[in-house]
Amino acid sequence: KAGVTQTPRYLIKTRGQQVTLSCSPISGHRSVSWYQQTPGQGLQFLFEYFSETQRNKGNFPGRFSGRQFSNSRSEMNVSTLELGDSALYLCASSVVWNTEAFFGQGTRLTVV
Amino acid sequence: DQQVKQNSPSLSVQEGRISILNCDYTNSMFDYFLWYKKYPAEGPTFLISISSIKDKNEDGRFTVFLNKSAKHLSLHIVPSQPGDSAVYFCAASEGGANSKLTFGKGITLSVRP
């Protein structure tokens, strides 16, 4: 059974640009969550999607957005990139909410 | 306000001995707890979980204990192996509609051969 797949693995962007990250969950998993990991803040929740609906949102500015498609694949978008957005972005999928979440390998975003 | 705290940033143990990783939480609404292991440049790997209706859950070398009155949980690894060296994250969820995971900052475990 394939795991959670995130693309791309690495990305370098310039301040002010926008970026789209992709996540394919484990087959059969309908919940997809996104997290940001930075050395100072640890793992912080961005948002969660279930059946194409955003169910929960963390404390991030509106520049961070996401969506989920009918096949449960999800994308997150960050507009007007700032240097502080440099981080490892992790996607996790689970069958439904409140079950074990399985993480992808992440996308390392560097903003220069 | 940090709702999940892993107060010790690192732990070093001898191979074959027990590793005990601690985690404290402040939110009394948390009812589901998980431990993840993470290697550099990889996503966290799920290890073991426990529901608030239990006080212990065991899976092979890994056992998680939950003390709800003290708002404390711990992960025991017995026996510890060099391959267990990684960063361990404790996470908690309120469950239901608010199922986001709140993570601690992690603890780096080093198992010495």
Side-chain angles (χ1 to χ4, degrees), chain A residues 37 40 55-56 97 100-101, chain B residues 32 36 38 46 96-97 99 105:
Chain A
Q37 185 184 22
R55 293 190 332 111
N56 287 297
W97 55 89
E100 292 82 0
Chain B
Y32 193 66
Y36 285 86
K38 188 179 185 299
F46 169 75
S99 58
K105 298 222 169 173

Side-chain angles (χ1 to χ4, degrees), chain B residues 16-19 60-63 76-80:
Chain B
R17 298 290 187 100
I18 183 172
S19 294
R61 296 186 298 116
F62 302 92
T63 303
H76 292 211
I77 306 174
V78 183
S80 300

Side-chain angles (χ1 to χ4, degrees), chain A residues 9-10 31 33 35 37 39-45 48 55-59 88 90 97-106 108, chain B residues 31-34 36 38-46 48-50 87 89 93-105:
Chain A
R9 287 293 310 278
Y10 302 93
S31 172
S33 300
Y35 293 82
Q37 185 184 22
Q41 297 298 320
L43 274 152
Q44 292 193 294
F45 173 79
E48 181 208 358
R55 293 190 332 111
N56 287 297
K57 191 176 192 304
N59 296 324
L88 181 66
L90 292 158
W97 55 89
N98 203 27
T99 58
E100 292 82 0
F102 293 86
F103 284 81
Q105 290 191 292
R108 170 70 64 184
Chain B
D31 71 351
Y32 193 66
F33 304 88
L34 307 90
Y36 285 86
K38 188 179 185 299
Y39 295 114
E42 292 186 11
T45 301
F46 169 75
I48 191 168
S49 63
I50 187 166
V87 178
F89 290 94
S93 167
E94 292 184 21
N98 191 4
S99 58
K100 70 174 186 179
L101 294 177
T102 301
F103 283 84
K105 298 222 169 173

Side-chain angles (χ1 to χ4, degrees), chain B residues 37 51 56 71:
Chain B
K37 172 181 176 180
S51 164
K56 177 183 173 181
K71 293 191 177 69

Side-chain angles (χ1 to χ4, degrees), chain A residues 28-102:
Chain A
H29 286 196
R30 296 169 62 192
S31 172
V32 174
S33 300
W34 289 88
Y35 293 82
Q36 181 196 65
Q37 185 184 22
T38 57
Q41 297 298 320
L43 274 152
Q44 292 193 294
F45 173 79
L46 280 156
F47 28 65
E48 181 208 358
Y49 286 87
F50 182 84
S51 292
E52 302 178 65
T53 301
Q54 186 182 90
R55 293 190 332 111
N56 287 297
K57 191 176 192 304
N59 296 324
F60 280 81
R63 300 186 295 107
F64 292 81
S65 63
R67 58 177 176 168
Q68 186 181 34
F69 302 96
S70 58
N71 62 358
S72 294
R73 191 178 71 83
S74 177
E75 289 181 346
M76 70 162 278
N77 184 275
V78 188
S79 63
T80 320
L81 284 165
E82 300 177 0
L83 295 178
D85 296 333
S86 296
L88 181 66
Y89 289 88
L90 292 158
C91 167
S93 77
S94 54
V95 177
V96 292
W97 55 89
N98 203 27
T99 58
E100 292 82 0
F102 293 86

Side-chain angles (χ1 to χ4, degrees), chain B residues 12-19 61 77-85 109-113:
Chain B
S12 181
V13 300
Q14 192 76 37
E15 180 179 5
R17 298 290 187 100
I18 183 172
S19 294
R61 296 186 298 116
I77 306 174
V78 183
S80 300
Q81 299 172 354
D84 295 329
S85 297
L109 172 66
S110 300
V111 180
R112 308 185 303 273

